[in-house]
Amino acid sequence: MADVAILVNRVYAGAEQGLWRAGAERTSADEICRLTLAGEIAVARLEGRLVACVRVQHLDDMTGEFGMLAADPDHRGIGIGRELVHFAEQGCKNYGLAVMQLEVLFPREWSHPSKEFLATWYSRIGYRKVRTGAIDESYPHLAPLLATPCDFVVYNKGLR
Ligand SMILES: CC(C)(COP(=O)(O)OP(=O)(O)OC[C@H]1O[C@@H](n2cnc3c(N)ncnc32)[C@H](O)[C@@H]1OP(=O)(O)O)[C@@H](O)C(=O)NCCC(=O)NCCS
């Protein structure tokens, strides 16, 4: 569990640089342990080495959501991220869910290169922006940890 938490925190520290105050971490070994026991964590390995992970959950009878998608920077651009998204989609589709959803955090007043990459990448793999929410309204406990005003954008894709 600790290696998954370390990967997620390392990847997000780069991908969300400037968004969070010093000391804020995306996850912890305890949280990964709880999510793994709930069956929500999938990982990708290359020759036994952990290189990527994703969290998949069922939000309701219709909707799945994935998050905590993180690929090791040394193994990017070779399709691991796309395969993990595909794995998440297939699992939810096989379970009978109709829609896959995800949320991306964007700084409100400036452009973050990782987030711009994600917006293009998710659109290329079939996701459409459905709404924007203010983080202080939906996740008030996270708002004090932000270093800059942020919004989250919800994307979804039909699975049928
Ligand atoms: C999003 C993320 C998981 C994608 O992982 P990945 O394994 O690199 O993804 P893929 O290889 O499947 O796709 C990357 C695409 O960018 C292209 N690419 C080209 N050069 C690249 C490079 N140096 N690095 C990354 N991608 C590159 C790939 O060719 C690929 O294009 P395609 O979709 O047309 O095939 C990864 O960038 C990441 O961990 N980002 C930081 C965390 C994050 O933002 N997570 C999402 C939060 S919502």
Side-chain angles (χ1 to χ4, degrees), residues 8 11-12 14-16 26 51-53 66-73 75-85 102-105 114-115 117-118 120-122 124-125:
V8 171
V11 166
Y12 273 78
E16 299 202 328
R26 178 65 181 82
V51 290
C53 69
F66 72 85
M68 262 194 231
L69 176 65
D72 184 337
H75 297 91
R76 296 255 174 98
I78 54 171
I80 296 173
R82 191 175 49 236
E83 280 305 312
L84 275 184
V85 171
L102 66 99
E103 293 179 357
V104 181
L105 192 64
S114 297
K115 303 297 179 172
F117 165 79
L118 282 180
T120 308
W121 188 68
Y122 281 133
R124 233 177 22 244
I125 59 175

Side-chain angles (χ1 to χ4, degrees), residues 60-72:
D60 55 38
D61 291 349
M62 297 285 286
T63 317
E65 182 177 85
F66 72 85
M68 262 194 231
L69 176 65
D72 184 337

Side-chain angles (χ1 to χ4, degrees), residues 93-135:
K93 187 175 174 177
N94 293 343
Y95 195 79
L97 303 185
V99 176
M100 181 59 99
Q101 172 175 305
L102 66 99
E103 293 179 357
V104 181
L105 192 64
F106 284 89
R108 193 176 297 158
E109 290 155 4
W110 47 283
S111 169
H112 192 303
S114 297
K115 303 297 179 172
E116 298 310 314
F117 165 79
L118 282 180
T120 308
W121 188 68
Y122 281 133
S123 135
R124 233 177 22 244
I125 59 175
Y127 284 82
R128 296 290 167 261
K129 190 169 161 174
V130 287
R131 72 187 170 84
T132 299
I135 198 147

Side-chain angles (χ1 to χ4, degrees), residues 1-24:
M1 310 301 151
D3 57 346
V4 177
I6 289 167
L7 174 70
V8 171
N9 286 337
R10 185 163 53 86
V11 166
Y12 273 78
E16 299 202 328
Q17 194 170 18
L19 270 53
W20 300 97
R21 291 186 189 281

